[in-house]
Amino acid sequence: MNNDLNTRVGKRRKKNKFWKIFWTVIAVIVVGLGGVVAYEYNNLKNAANTAYRSGGLSDAENGSKSSVLNNSKPIAILLMGTDTGALGRTYKGRTDSIMVAVLNPKTKKTTLVSFERDMQVNLPDYPEYSPSKLNAAYAYGNAKELAKVLKKYFNIPINAYVLINMGGLKTIINKVGGVDITPNLSFTYEGYTFTKGEKTHMDGAKALAYSRMRYDDPEGDYGRQKRQRQILAALMKKAENATTLLNTSFISSLSKQVQTDMTFSDMTSLAKNYLAATKNLESDYTHGTGYMEDGVSYQNISTAERQRISNLIRKAMGLKTKKVG
């Protein structure tokens, strides 16, 4: 692996073509899981076994993953999207999408926070590769290292992780019959034209094109994140009654695109005790400012902003706020 994981400016356009709305998959899984458990028990169990990979996460501040799920406590899940395999690649790759989802069954609310991948950080277990970008943490030390970085800079606990390959998202949208989106701006991208304020039915390819565009958006990557959230909301709504999610081949295909440290038992606990939390979604993201250092572009996330995000997530988990480092 190249020791210099910091992406050079000349490579940014290529890197930014990879999809960052992987977390829509998690919403589909959670929303549709109740029906899947009832009708496709064996298929889901096999799929869960295929997707399972231990991430080496330590027990979090609010307890181990098992104790949190068994007691229906608010759970924080680290969601990561990687480009591995999307273009025929087989190496591990960076996590170009990084989010934390907090599902709180007591408040019946899900809080989704996206983290700026270009944030400059020091990696706790890899000082020789520091400073680096936040999206390099997984490439060096898997989910365990990324969880440590988020703990260090935002003082938030992580109970479990889910990693998804970008190649699977298009199939998911198509399997639910597409999604209805009302574009928040007008633009043409990858052969598709989108008109602001005009409700549009999108298949997987068109929805991904809508979410992909960045450089013609006045808000840049932040504007793209807004469009990604639109797709999440539309997909969650469509998936509530999507019987196609119960298709055996679909479940099997999905399992090959996902890695997680949640077992079949963990997933059934989510379906049983956390489903109501997905009905009320609040999303946010880290606000930063760009700067260049040694020819590399980074995002500066201020201490005040890190504290705001920390407070948001900790409150969503029912934890007392703590001062960030």
Side-chain angles (χ1 to χ4, degrees), residues 1 31 72 86 124 134 175 188 235 256 261:
M1 181 184 294
V31 171
S72 299
L134 182 63
K175 282 292 184 179
T188 298
L235 189 55
K256 296 174 183 177
D261 63 347

Side-chain angles (χ1 to χ4, degrees), residues 203-235:
D203 61 9
K206 189 169 185 176
L208 292 183
Y210 178 70
S211 71
R212 171 182 284 185
M213 190 276 290
R214 174 182 182 181
Y215 291 102
D216 291 332
D217 192 315
E219 296 184 271
D221 194 45
Y222 294 118
R224 180 166 58 177
Q225 289 180 20
K226 290 181 179 179
R227 282 177 273 119
Q228 293 165 1
R229 293 190 188 98
Q230 280 186 285
I231 292 179
L232 169 63
L235 189 55

Side-chain angles (χ1 to χ4, degrees), residues 80-97:
M80 301 172 289
T82 180
D83 60 0
T84 304
L87 297 177
R89 297 170 177 170
T90 57
Y91 60 85
K92 182 185 295 185
R94 290 168 170 254
T95 47
D96 286 326
S97 298

Side-chain angles (χ1 to χ4, degrees), residues 17 36 49 65 149 178 220 277-278 286 303:
K17 289 184 178 180
V36 173
N49 291 336
K65 171 167 59 71
V149 173
T278 66
T286 53
T303 301

